[in-house]
Each structure stands twice: as structure tokens, then as C-alpha cells.
Amino acid sequence: MMKRGDELDAMPELAAAVEEACSEAPSEARERQIRAHARELVRGLRHPDHPLTTEAGLEGVLAEESLRVYERLAVAGELRARGELRPTSERTALVRSDVMVMLQRAAGLPAVHLRVREVLPLKTPVDHGRQGRFRASLETLSDYIGRRTHWTVEGGILARGYPRWVRMLALASVVLDTGARVGELCAMRLDDLSPGLEEVRVRRRPQGAGPAYQPPTEVFVLAAATRAALQRWLQVRRLLMREVTGAADYLWVSVRGNHGGVVEEDEEPEYRAAGTALQPRGVGRAYSAAVARVNIDLGGEVGWSPLPERMEQLRRGVKPAVVLVAPPVPDAEKAARLLHAVEVAGRDLAGLL
């Protein structure tokens, strides 16, 4: 298979700035945005209405006059790589502005903000009254799986689509308790769960955060139904991890093997065994596919209300209570005081024995 040429190959200097910006990007989603808008910029330089070409130096290409022309063409939809010509949204324009600033900084050039970020209208949230119905549906799903498999290998817990259902049940339950985003779910490790599964630690990764941002860590109390769902998922996960040696501490992993990666001519595609860590796009797809199937199969069950097929729809209806916000950097002075208190308490306890 021939590898498609990258539009950035026409501008090595821009490609280097892209790599530098991506190395400091806070998430994979931001990396994709950087690459997409950099390629869009190349298409802008090839447009007959742009005063510069791909032969121009990066300083001129990323100057304000050049970027204003590029933005006008992009907002009008004239730089789309595929699909019909239509204007882009204000949200996309803000992302485009952010990406250009990141490229300017990566190239050591003055930053020019094409757009000033204002407070945008919020997306329509899920009705909070539905949160209770979602929890009831997840309990119905748990009962449905339990009746058919008894949560055992002998009963078929690893057969058909049940592993995907068990994972989706645990994912949705954690989202309802924490409001975690997809990237935050992917970052979860086993040690983010308390030993008794009473609490979970979430490292926040807000959109638009810069590379110097220190994300807070929040700790949430998990509902009894969520603890049960996690316990079932960890049982399935433990069986899947028999074939895996790397990334064994991630909480959310794949439930079946697949082939992936870029394949060159005469090369075999990379095989990824079940139990490998899920990436943000994989989490979203896995959740949507499982919910679509479950909504069909459980449509006639008593107490069942369809679940939203996009995790973001589920997350936007959540108002979790934060138990603790841990500082991103350890407090050495506070730790020393706590250790001293523990030492004193230990001596007092020893004196009572």
C-alpha cells in the first residue's frame, strides 16, 4: 500500500513547527487540531487569493497580514479538504486561532490572536432529571447480564458482546459519578481506585489548557452501583490481561484483539492483543457501539430507558460532588507535619500496649 503524501511536506519549516507544537500539546485531540489546521494553512497558501505561496518563509506565512487572508478563506469554507463548501463555526475559528498562536510560539515568532476568546453559548445540557433514569437503566443492564451469565466464565461472561457491555456499564457509571471527560477516563490507572472501590481519583484535563497548566486532581465518592460495576469490569479485565505484558496498569483496556497502525507495502499490520490501553477515540467508539447494541436488545425490558449514544451527552447531565481537590504539586511542609503527627500517635499507641 502506497503511503499518501502529507501536505506539510511542501513546507519543512512549518512541519518542524508543527512537531514542536505537538510535543507540548496537552492531549491527542489538540495534536490532531494542530496538524489539521497546519494542513489547512498550506491549502490557503495554494489558493489564488492568497498573496503568498508555500515557497514563502515561515515568518511571513505566520505574520498577521498573511494569517488574516488565510482565516477569511478558511471561515468561508474554501479550504476544506473534502466535502461541500460551507462556512466553518465560531468554535472552529477559535481553535484555528489557538493553533496559529501555538505554531508561532513553536517557531519563536510573536503571537497574533486572530480571535479573542469570549464566553460562548453553552451546549444544551442533558436534563438532570434524566440522570436518575440513566442510573436505573444501568442497573437494569447489570441485572440483564447477571441473569444470563451469572458473572462467570462458565456462564458466558466472556462470550458474545458481554465484555463490551460490562466495560460500557462501568464506564457510564463512573461518568455519572464524576463527570469525567474521555481523555480523563483514558488516563485512569488501577491505583486511581481506592482499595475498596469507594473512591476514584480524576486528573482533570480541560480543553484549551496550555503545556504549563498543572491539572488539579479531584477525588470522588463512588455510588454502590458504580462500585459493583467496577468490580465486574475488573473481573473481566483480569481475564483479558493474561495475554498482555505492557500498559497493564491502565483501567480501561480493549476487550478483543485488532490490527492497527500505518501499513507500508509488503509489511504485516500490527496486531494489538486484547487488554491494551484504550485511547480517547477508542473509548468514544467503544461506548457508542455498546450502547447502540444494548438500546436495541433491552428495548422491551421493564425499567429500561435508552442511554445516549454519545458519552458527551451523558457527561453533560452530571453534577457530581467533589470530595477533595488535591494540589498538583506535593506540599512538602504539610507532608512533614502529617508524618510528625503519625510518629507522635505511634509513640502514644505503643505506650498503651
Side-chain angles (χ1 to χ4, degrees):
M1 181 188 299
M2 292 293 292
K3 184 178 179 181
R4 276 181 56 187
D6 193 321
E7 291 172 293
L8 293 174
D9 293 343
M11 297 189 65
E13 196 177 4
L14 176 61
V18 167
E19 293 305 318
E20 177 66 23
C22 285
S23 69
E24 297 185 356
S27 66
E28 290 185 4
R30 180 58 98 183
E31 287 186 42
R32 290 194 295 271
Q33 291 170 345
I34 292 170
R35 297 184 191 282
H37 286 296
R39 294 183 180 111
E40 184 184 61
L41 176 58
V42 172
R43 293 195 293 275
L45 293 169
R46 289 171 171 164
H47 195 281
D49 290 347
H50 200 291
L52 301 180
T53 69
T54 56
E55 300 297 322
L58 195 58
E59 184 175 358
V61 168
L62 293 179
E64 182 172 3
E65 183 179 355
S66 168
L67 290 181
R68 292 295 178 191
V69 178
Y70 152 63
E71 184 195 36
R72 176 174 56 78
L73 295 170
V75 169
E78 296 189 28
L79 303 182
R80 292 183 180 274
R82 53 184 176 274
E84 62 181 6
L85 189 154
R86 64 184 188 280
T88 59
S89 68
E90 179 64 17
R91 291 181 184 276
T92 299
L94 286 169
V95 171
R96 183 182 295 116
S97 175
D98 290 345
V99 167
M100 292 303 111
V101 169
M102 294 182 73
L103 292 176
Q104 289 164 337
R105 289 172 176 165
L109 300 172
V112 176
H113 293 269
L114 298 174
R115 296 290 173 108
V116 177
R117 185 174 292 275
E118 300 175 351
V119 177
L120 297 175
L122 297 177
K123 297 179 181 178
T124 303
V126 173
D127 178 7
H128 291 297
R130 296 174 62 190
Q131 187 169 344
R133 294 198 293 276
F134 291 159
R135 291 189 186 277
S137 291
L138 293 177
E139 291 180 12
T140 301
L141 173 59
S142 179
D143 293 342
Y144 182 90
I145 298 172
R147 288 198 306 271
R148 282 155 178 77
T149 68
H150 304 290
W151 302 106
T152 64
V153 174
E154 295 76 16
I157 191 61
L158 295 184
R160 299 176 59 195
Y162 289 129
R164 293 191 289 275
W165 289 17
V166 174
R167 182 182 59 193
M168 184 274 286
L169 174 63
L171 272 168
S173 298
V174 170
V175 170
L176 286 178
D177 279 358
T178 66
R181 296 178 174 85
V182 171
E184 293 162 354
L185 291 168
C186 289
M188 288 182 180
R189 307 292 185 107
L190 292 178
D191 60 6
D192 288 324
L193 296 170
S194 63
L197 304 183
E198 298 93 350
E199 297 173 347
V200 65
R201 182 170 53 203
V202 179
R203 296 174 182 83
R204 289 303 185 193
R205 302 175 66 184
Q207 294 179 343
Y213 177 76
Q214 292 288 341
T217 297
E218 299 175 349
V219 179
F220 297 87
V221 173
L222 297 175
T226 303
R227 296 198 298 271
L230 279 169
Q231 186 176 24
R232 303 303 189 191
W233 163 240
L234 291 173
Q235 173 191 356
V236 170
R237 181 189 178 283
R238 184 168 56 251
L239 296 170
L240 294 171
M241 297 302 284
R242 291 174 178 173
E243 301 179 24
V244 178
T245 57
D249 60 341
Y250 281 94
L251 178 56
W252 308 109
V253 298
S254 61
V255 298
R256 62 179 180 180
N258 63 79
H259 290 85
V262 177
V263 182
E264 301 289 351
E265 189 175 4
D266 300 328
E267 285 187 3
E268 289 295 325
E270 176 189 359
Y271 179 75
R272 299 168 181 166
T276 54
L278 286 180
Q279 300 302 312
R281 188 177 297 183
V283 169
R285 288 176 176 173
Y287 170 87
S288 297
V291 169
R293 183 72 253 176
V294 167
N295 280 341
I296 293 173
D297 288 7
L298 272 69
E301 289 286 315
V302 176
W304 177 258
S305 296
L307 292 168
E309 293 192 12
R310 290 179 60 247
M311 190 176 289
E312 179 62 16
Q313 293 174 308
L314 186 73
R315 189 187 73 82
R316 290 206 307 267
V318 175
K319 284 285 188 180
V322 178
V323 176
L324 172 68
V325 178
V329 178
D331 188 332
E333 183 178 347
K334 185 176 180 180
R337 290 199 303 269
L338 288 173
L339 286 173
H340 176 69
V342 170
E343 183 181 354
V344 171
R347 288 199 300 267
D348 292 344
L349 180 60
L352 295 174
L353 299 178

